[in-house]
Amino acid sequence: MSEYQIIVTVQGVDKVGIVAKITTILAQYEVNIEDIKQTLMQGHFVMFMLGNIEHSSYSFKEIKEALLEAGKELGMEVWVQRKEIVDNMHSI
């Protein structure tokens, strides 16, 4: 299952519209959000999302590029990784 899962991390100064922008991109690219966690620490916003791209008609690369562009527009740092890569890094 993890071969279709992606981890999206967003962080930066808190502002209105971060969650809306990122989740809208995921919906447009047919990514199912399986889990989401966010926190605000002294004005610093951090969000982790687990998405599933199994039924998306878009490639991982296309999804990643769209999310990175959204991050630039928001002035936020965005990372997009395949979950299986993260899992394998932690098993070494």
Side-chain angles (χ1 to χ4, degrees), residues 36-76:
I36 181 170
K37 302 255 187 285
Q38 69 179 50
T39 190
L40 185 62
M41 295 173 22
Q42 298 180 357
H44 193 78
F45 177 89
V46 180
M47 178 171 63
F48 302 97
M49 302 174 75
L50 179 65
N52 189 308
I53 63 173
E54 183 174 10
H55 301 294
S56 176
S57 52
Y58 297 90
S59 70
F60 171 76
K61 182 179 179 185
E62 291 171 315
I63 295 165
K64 181 175 180 175
E65 288 173 355
L67 289 166
L68 295 178
E69 183 59 34
K72 286 180 189 173
E73 291 171 13
L74 288 166
M76 306 291 285

